[in-house]
Amino acid sequence: MASSRLEKIGTIFTRVTGLLRAGAMNVNEKPIWYDVYRAFPPKVEPLYSRPIADVPIKEIIYPEDSIRAKLHKALGKKMPGYNLLEKNRPTVSQKIILQTLQHQKEDPSLSEDEALAKAIETYNSEIRQVKADDIPEDFNKPKFGYYKTKPSLANEFKRAVETKVDVKKILSED
Amino acid sequence: MIHPCLRLSINSRLSTQTHYLFKKLSTVPNVDPLPSTSNTESKDTSQEPEVPNPLRYHDYFQVRNLVKVKDMFDAKVHLGHKIGSLDERMKPYIYGVRQGQIIFDLDQSAELLRDALNFVAHIAYRDGIVLFVGQSAQNSLLIEKTAQDCQEFAHTRFWRQGMFTNSEKLFRAVTRLPDLVILTNTLTTVLEPNPAIGEAAKMCIPTVGIVDSNCNPNLITYPVPGNDDTPSAIQYYCQVFKTAILKGKKAKQDTLKLLSEKQEVQHN
């Protein structure tokens, strides 16, 4: 095909249009994409030398980020892991943050730190609840991995919250 | 300084030339690039040719409704790279930066993906050859499988220089080049732009490409900003592109069937 191979000048459309106009390419032999491109051109012309748009890039910050920062600073690696493929269940940090906001809403006199400490305590008792409910009916046939994973995760969190983290104390240091 | 009268004559000549060009090249009458508000069934079809012209419809193959922002979000299409590796030319497609990581504006990406899918379906309808290209080891099997499923071609390995531009020497035979290149990943394994993009542009082959925040979208005909590494995102792109191609091919089969039926009726 007799066409220019200088891909940085013009676009594929302008180059083929030039060939058609000059008669170097027969109208019946035009590439099959040509009419489609004409009917549905791309939003931005695919020019190599397109000038760079001067668009400011903004930071994405949410109002509850201060709570999230405090929570992660307090618990850090003691936070339990979560499954990336699970889309419907909120993560532990999401749960605690929602709980904190709820506490603040119910009692506006609570400071953020107090509400957070309360939320962590609530979550901790919730974990204990789950653990009590989870006891299998038949102890002779325990679920696979039950003794290995579940208690250790809960214990880890419990230890984190109860022993190391006197949250109020840690937060007051900052 | 051009004399005003002269300028007027130049202007008029230019306009007539462009008008002539438009008439000469025009094979697509009355394209409505926006979806018509009135129902398509209420259109007067008595003057229409026997077979509908897909170019006259905004969404002939019904591929635009395949794309939903929620699905893209769930497939992690919105996640870009760290801000340090940003290509300045990707700036307009970015929503913001979260903790140093770029987040794409999925509203824009979805719209661009819809346009790209429409283009892909049209090429498939016109019996075009589609080539899937993408150099990432972890996704290459998926890409090849997608191409196989829609009876098209894939090349997910190292791109030898001149596969398009010097194909006859390289393959030792006259080679039919593809009519469309779909890139699920526009960078090579060493983070250089894939030479396939430049070669396709040289040979006047349109490209549809997923561009991440560290890619150059300028030479790609229909760029779609989005995550090009995560398998869930690649799975999503492969699935929508496959559906678009299959829809285009199905529409072609339907049209051929309609034509043969009409011919039979006329024959009888």
Side-chain angles (χ1 to χ4, degrees), chain A residues 93-129:
Chain A
S93 87
Q94 269 170 344
K95 266 185 196 168
I96 294 178
I97 287 165
L98 279 175
Q99 191 68 253
T100 310
L101 293 174
Q102 185 73 21
H103 285 318
Q104 273 185 315
K105 207 175 165 189
E106 282 166 7
D107 184 3
S109 65
L110 273 180
S111 76
E112 202 175 74
D113 298 354
E114 284 162 356
L116 178 59
K118 211 175 156 188
I120 292 176
E121 267 165 32
T122 320
Y123 181 73
N124 207 22
S125 64
E126 218 172 86
I127 282 188
R128 267 180 224 145
Q129 191 72 43

Side-chain angles (χ1 to χ4, degrees), chain A residues 1 3-8 12 15-17 20-21 23 27 30-50 52-55 57-62 65 68 84-85 87, chain B residues 21-22 24-28 31 55 57-58 64 74 76 83 86 88-89 91-93 95-98 103 111-112 115 118-119 122-123 126 128 165 179 198 201-206 216-222:
Chain A
M1 192 168 65
S3 73
S4 165
R5 291 194 170 188
L6 299 173
E7 82 276 14
K8 289 174 187 175
I12 53 171
R15 271 175 269 136
V16 171
T17 307
L20 288 168
R21 185 178 52 196
V27 175
K30 65 186 167 191
I32 61 168
W33 54 263
Y34 188 78
D35 288 335
V36 184
Y37 188 109
R38 243 164 74 85
F40 305 102
K43 288 229 157 45
V44 184
E45 207 182 10
L47 266 175
Y48 184 80
S49 53
R50 211 153 75 201
I52 293 169
D54 190 22
V55 187
I57 292 179
K58 58 180 183 237
E59 283 279 340
I60 301 172
I61 294 167
Y62 299 105
D65 272 355
R68 187 175 285 124
L84 276 171
L85 291 174
K87 289 164 192 164
Chain B
L21 184 71
F22 188 76
K24 189 186 169 192
L25 298 179
S26 174
T27 50
V28 201
V31 176
L55 292 178
Y57 298 87
H58 178 63
R64 286 181 198 265
D74 286 344
K76 304 186 180 76
I83 182 102
L86 171 69
E88 298 266 289
R89 290 163 282 212
K91 268 184 175 177
Y93 308 117
Y95 177 75
V97 180
R98 173 76 176 165
I103 305 294
E111 206 46 49
L112 288 164
D115 286 354
N118 184 46
F119 187 79
H122 271 283
I123 298 290
R126 294 168 165 240
T165 47
D179 297 294
K202 278 185 204 294
M203 304 312 286
C204 291
I205 299 168
N216 174 7
N218 283 8
L219 263 186
I220 293 161
T221 324
Y222 291 87

Side-chain angles (χ1 to χ4, degrees), chain A residues 124-140:
Chain A
N124 207 22
S125 64
E126 218 172 86
I127 282 188
R128 267 180 224 145
Q129 191 72 43
V130 169
K131 205 179 149 194
D133 291 346
D134 247 15
I135 295 168
E137 286 173 14
D138 187 359
F139 275 94
N140 295 324

Side-chain angles (χ1 to χ4, degrees), chain B residues 98-219:
Chain B
R98 173 76 176 165
Q99 301 282 306
Q101 186 179 14
I102 284 167
I103 305 294
F104 286 111
D105 186 354
L106 281 189
D107 289 331
Q108 281 189 58
S109 291
E111 206 46 49
L112 288 164
L113 183 57
R114 284 184 196 119
D115 286 354
L117 287 181
N118 184 46
F119 187 79
V120 170
H122 271 283
I123 298 290
Y125 177 81
R126 294 168 165 240
D127 258 351
I129 290 178
V130 180
L131 177 69
F132 285 83
V133 174
Q135 275 190 37
S136 65
Q138 59 173 345
N139 299 320
S140 61
L141 182 67
L142 174 66
I143 297 162
E144 282 167 2
K145 219 163 170 51
T146 309
Q148 212 173 20
D149 286 349
C150 48
Q151 308 249 305
E152 296 295 348
F153 300 85
H155 181 88
T156 56
R157 311 299 157 99
F158 175 74
W159 188 270
R160 281 179 288 161
Q161 204 75 46
M163 293 240 275
F164 284 164
T165 47
N166 194 22
S167 56
E168 291 186 15
K169 287 273 153 53
L170 236 126
F171 300 115
R172 293 181 202 160
V174 176
T175 313
R176 163 85 150 86
L177 295 180
D179 297 294
L180 173 67
V181 177
I182 297 179
L183 298 124
T184 53
N185 178 355
T186 61
L187 296 181
T188 60
T189 48
V190 287
L191 303 182
E192 291 281 322
N194 196 327
I197 302 165
E199 288 193 17
K202 278 185 204 294
M203 304 312 286
C204 291
I205 299 168
T207 42
V208 168
I210 310 297
V211 278
D212 212 327
S213 61
N214 56 350
C215 304
N216 174 7
N218 283 8
L219 263 186

